[in-house]
Amino acid sequence: MGSEMCIRDRITVSPVDLLKYKSLRTISFAVAAIVFSKRYVKFGPLILIDNLGVNIFVNQIVMALAECIGTPLSLNYVQKLPRKMVGYVSFSVSIAFFAIVYLVQPPSDCNFCVEGILELSLIFILRIVTTFYYPFMSLTVTELFPLRVRSMGFGISGAFGATAASTSQFLLLSLRHTVVDPFLFLIGICLLGVLGVCMVPETVGKPLKD
């Protein structure tokens, strides 16, 4: 009898609930923009890796080393630093990276040339910053959505992240054959992420919404 009452009283939530109120619509759009953009920033350099740095093998090693540094740093500071500030810094570094890579084109026979080493250093910094922001991004989703729709908010943000991950390879590689440079496209994606950060309130140190 008790279990029947619990099932009867259980609250059901649908994606429509995220559109009922203006505040939830704003948060949903902002979180989707942030997660979508950050996924493109994460996978973009991997997809275009043959156009970056020194060579594919060295680039992969540098990226892996950067992730090993960024993750523990993030877990140490995730409870202390403002989420919006970290978001602004992360997307700003990303925009600067893609702009420099677009402007500085290493020669085709580059083998540890100055331009290649510069890009390699920038890849290292970008990967640390991107990895550093991921726990902040996940906590932001938790802290922004009220308890009733929190799981749905996580699901929607995850869906946009999966969409970015699944479309980035096809889209970025296709842009190589158009007049739109992939790195300029990624700058536009980062600006979308900055817009998302602007739209959400600061949540560090504040209680979770019921």
Side-chain angles (χ1 to χ4, degrees):
M1 184 68 177
S3 60
E4 292 178 0
M5 290 294 294
C6 290
I7 293 174
R8 194 179 300 121
D9 296 338
R10 185 178 297 165
I11 298 174
T12 58
V13 181
S14 72
V16 179
D17 292 318
L18 298 177
L19 304 176
K20 285 183 176 179
Y21 306 101
K22 182 179 178 181
S23 59
L24 276 180
R25 290 196 297 269
T26 301
I27 290 173
S28 300
F29 172 80
V31 167
I34 292 171
V35 175
F36 185 86
S37 303
K38 189 49 65 175
R39 283 291 182 132
Y40 259 91
V41 171
K42 180 179 181 179
F43 290 108
L46 284 172
I47 295 168
L48 303 172
I49 197 168
D50 56 326
N51 283 5
L52 296 171
V54 178
N55 59 60
I56 293 177
F57 305 105
V58 175
N59 293 349
Q60 290 280 19
I61 292 172
V62 168
M63 287 184 179
L65 179 61
E67 290 184 359
C68 291
I69 295 174
T71 300
L73 280 176
S74 179
L75 296 178
N76 185 51
Y77 288 102
V78 71
Q79 297 293 342
K80 306 172 186 177
L81 297 179
R83 284 80 169 100
K84 287 176 70 74
M85 182 198 73
V86 177
Y88 283 131
V89 171
S90 179
F91 282 113
S92 297
V93 170
S94 302
I95 291 172
F97 169 81
F98 294 127
I100 293 173
V101 169
Y102 170 72
L103 295 172
V104 179
Q105 298 289 340
S108 57
D109 59 343
C110 176
N111 186 16
F112 288 97
C113 59
V114 175
E115 295 89 345
I117 294 174
L118 172 62
E119 286 190 352
L120 193 64
S121 303
L122 293 174
I123 290 173
F124 182 72
I125 295 171
L126 175 66
R127 206 64 176 181
I128 289 178
V129 172
T130 301
T131 305
F132 187 87
Y133 183 55
Y134 258 80
F136 287 86
M137 184 174 66
S138 299
L139 271 182
T140 298
V141 177
T142 302
E143 295 166 345
L144 284 174
F145 286 102
L147 179 61
R148 174 187 171 90
V149 294
R150 189 168 297 150
S151 60
M152 186 58 63
F154 254 106
I156 294 298
S157 64
F160 275 90
T163 300
S166 59
T167 60
S168 56
Q169 182 169 4
F170 170 78
L171 188 55
L172 291 175
L173 292 179
S174 298
L175 287 176
R176 286 181 169 179
H177 308 290
T178 67
V179 295
V180 180
D181 190 274
F183 296 111
L184 289 180
F185 174 78
L186 287 170
I187 290 175
I189 291 290
C190 290
L191 292 175
L192 177 64
V194 172
L195 176 62
V197 175
C198 290
M199 294 175 65
V200 297
E202 182 55 67
T203 58
V204 65
K206 296 182 180 179
L208 295 177
K209 298 179 181 180
D210 295 326

